[in-house]
Amino acid sequence: MVNTSKIQENYFIQLDGIRFVAVSLVLVDHWLAERNVIPLGVLGVTMFFVLSGFLITRILIQSKLKDEKTGRSPWFSVRQFIVRRSIRIFPIYYLTIFLCVIFNVPPVREQLIWCITYATNIYIALNQRWMGVIDHLWSLAVEEQYYLFFPYVILFLPKRYFLKIFFGMIALAVLLRLFLHLNHSDWMVQYVLMPTSLDAFGLGALMAYFFTFHKESTFKTLSKTMYLLISFGLYVSVLFYEKFGFENPHNIAYTVIERFFAALFCFFFIINAVTGYKGLAKVFFENGVVQYLGKISYGLYLYHNFVYNYYHTPQTSITLRILRKIHQYLPALADSFAFQFFYFSALTIFVATLSWFLIEKPVNSLKRYFNY
């Protein structure tokens, strides 16, 4: 059950716990791919998209209401949004790309224009192949492309169109994935493009709309645990269907249906965090370690592939050379599932912590100059 009587207005403490869960799912999927058969990475990325849809839409709606109240131009809010998002996202992203160029991390030099323009997802879709240790940047490209048009939708269109637009985004994504599937497009195309991800963003936007305009009715009703359990059951059912109902692993359930039900589960999962989980879930989501790792989740996501990726990390990488050195003295420990996960986690957290305190936190403090 959830506490629906204390919905926070400006900061949702448990959402850092959601970020921790989302990034953990991606890390497990990339680090332990040979042991894991559940699409945890897809679920983690989808969770980030739904969360972004909620937070970004809520910020933009608040800006729109402020614009209407004060009579200021929507362009003020557009500029404010762009500047604040740029401050948060660009510094460590472009620092990472710069270091990859300096140390010649493939394929960054060869595909530099795709990297610096946040278009790696388009490159993957066009060429139908991943990009090595930078393949995870596709989801950051999707988010950035989403930011290119969505602020104008909220800030310039009347509020009476919002629900139609959000439901339209959801329908468009599902229908577009279905169209691509029926036309035998490679599964990567459905997976990495921004328009095919709009159902997750649309569900997040719906959440923000209900929170802002129907908090004590629709939003409160949707936060009931029953809906969370039903959505989880539907998601698991789709996973079983795609696993055992088809010979081809990239079937219609995987390329078209799963993403929607993953987003639907994330919708209810996040709604309950906004209203506030109670009991053991509250203890978990508000735990200090979980909160901290949620705060640095952007860095964890950005850097984790450079620490290790089951599919792309060469045996000559320094992380694997260190692991082999440990294996020489403690073979049983180095070969264990738990130690390898701890080892990769510790390295990633260390790098992300340095990034947070030396770059992200100081730069983020500049955002206070761009408040209302």
Side-chain angles (χ1 to χ4, degrees):
M1 297 296 293
V2 296
N3 178 10
T4 55
S5 63
K6 295 181 179 179
I7 300 176
Q8 301 178 62
E9 291 292 341
N10 298 310
Y11 179 69
F12 311 101
I13 186 171
Q14 293 186 7
L15 291 190
D16 279 328
I18 295 292
R19 293 184 179 95
F20 167 75
V21 171
V23 77
S24 296
L25 292 172
V26 175
L27 268 54
V28 169
D29 189 72
H30 287 175
W31 290 344
L32 307 172
E34 78 281 15
R35 296 182 173 97
N36 172 54
V37 296
I38 304 172
L40 298 179
V42 181
L43 180 60
V45 169
T46 302
M47 195 173 296
F48 274 126
F49 287 168
V50 176
L51 182 59
S52 290
F54 168 66
L55 294 173
I56 294 304
T57 306
R58 182 172 174 272
I59 289 170
L60 291 171
I61 289 178
Q62 287 181 325
S63 297
K64 183 180 185 67
L65 296 177
K66 185 75 170 180
D67 293 343
E68 293 174 348
K69 182 178 179 180
T70 61
R72 72 187 182 191
S73 169
W75 288 106
F76 174 88
S77 294
V78 170
R79 291 192 297 271
Q80 184 184 60
F81 176 84
I82 292 173
V83 170
R84 288 174 63 86
R85 282 287 86 197
S86 300
I87 288 172
R88 178 66 188 103
I89 295 171
F90 289 167
I92 64 171
Y93 177 86
Y94 283 113
L95 174 62
T96 299
I97 299 302
F98 173 75
L99 292 176
C100 285
V101 171
I102 295 298
F103 293 103
N104 195 22
V105 176
V108 177
R109 287 185 182 178
E110 296 81 1
Q111 312 302 340
L112 184 59
I113 189 65
W114 299 95
C115 296
I116 63 177
T117 58
Y118 275 90
T120 53
N121 64 324
I122 298 174
Y123 174 88
I124 293 168
L126 290 174
N127 295 276
Q128 297 176 17
R129 66 172 181 265
W130 294 107
M131 302 182 72
V133 294
I134 62 167
D135 58 12
H136 64 306
L137 301 184
W138 76 267
S139 66
L140 302 182
V142 166
E143 295 223 21
E144 192 61 28
Q145 291 158 19
Y146 178 70
Y147 298 155
L148 290 178
F149 81 91
F150 192 69
Y152 304 95
V153 171
I154 299 300
L155 295 172
F156 287 92
L157 292 181
K159 295 188 291 292
R160 64 179 180 274
Y161 295 126
F162 284 179
L163 281 180
K164 293 180 181 178
I165 291 169
F166 301 155
F167 280 114
M169 289 164 57
I170 297 168
L172 174 64
V174 176
L175 292 175
L176 183 56
R177 292 201 299 268
L178 177 61
F179 172 81
L180 292 170
H181 177 84
L182 295 176
N183 281 271
H184 307 290
S185 297
D186 189 89
W187 69 273
M188 288 185 184
V189 179
Q190 292 98 305
Y191 187 71
V192 302
L193 291 180
M194 184 273 290
T196 60
S197 303
L198 282 176
D199 48 346
F201 291 109
L203 282 164
L206 276 178
M207 193 189 314
Y209 180 88
F210 293 142
F211 180 86
T212 304
F213 299 113
H214 304 284
K215 186 189 306 182
E216 296 303 323
S217 54
T218 307
F219 193 89
K220 186 174 181 179
T221 300
L222 292 173
S223 67
K224 291 181 177 179
T225 306
M226 173 184 66
Y227 295 114
L228 174 63
L229 296 177
I230 291 173
S231 65
F232 180 71
L234 290 171
Y235 172 62
V236 172
S237 298
V238 171
L239 294 183
F240 272 96
Y241 177 55
E242 73 180 53
K243 179 72 174 178
F244 300 107
F246 301 90
E247 293 183 4
N248 181 1
H250 299 135
N251 50 70
I252 190 171
Y254 176 77
T255 59
V256 179
I257 303 173
E258 180 200 315
R259 293 277 291 275
F260 170 74
F261 283 100
L264 188 66
F265 164 64
C266 293
F267 173 83
F268 290 109
F269 187 55
I270 294 169
I271 276 184
N272 280 267
V274 172
T275 56
Y277 285 99
K278 299 196 72 176
L280 291 177
K282 174 183 173 67
V283 173
F284 172 79
F285 283 115
E286 297 184 16
N287 174 270
V289 174
V290 169
Q291 286 283 302
Y292 172 70
L293 295 177
K295 286 184 188 299
I296 66 170
S297 60
Y298 177 40
L300 292 174
Y301 183 85
L302 183 59
Y303 304 131
H304 80 276
N305 255 18
F306 300 102
V307 172
Y308 179 68
N309 182 295
Y310 173 76
Y311 298 104
H312 305 305
T313 301
Q315 291 299 312
T316 55
S317 73
I318 187 171
T319 54
L320 292 185
R321 295 209 307 266
I322 294 173
L323 188 61
R324 287 197 295 271
K325 183 66 69 174
I326 296 173
H327 186 272
Q328 291 178 6
Y329 299 98
L330 299 167
L333 179 66
D335 287 339
S336 70
F337 163 89
F339 177 78
Q340 290 181 17
F341 189 78
F342 171 80
Y343 169 70
F344 296 137
S345 298
L347 288 176
T348 307
I349 292 170
F350 175 72
V351 175
T353 295
L354 290 179
S355 173
W356 174 253
F357 285 104
L358 297 180
I359 304 172
E360 295 172 76
K361 191 174 181 181
V363 173
N364 284 344
S365 66
L366 298 176
K367 290 196 293 187
R368 67 179 181 270
Y369 297 112
F370 299 95
N371 288 326
Y372 301 152

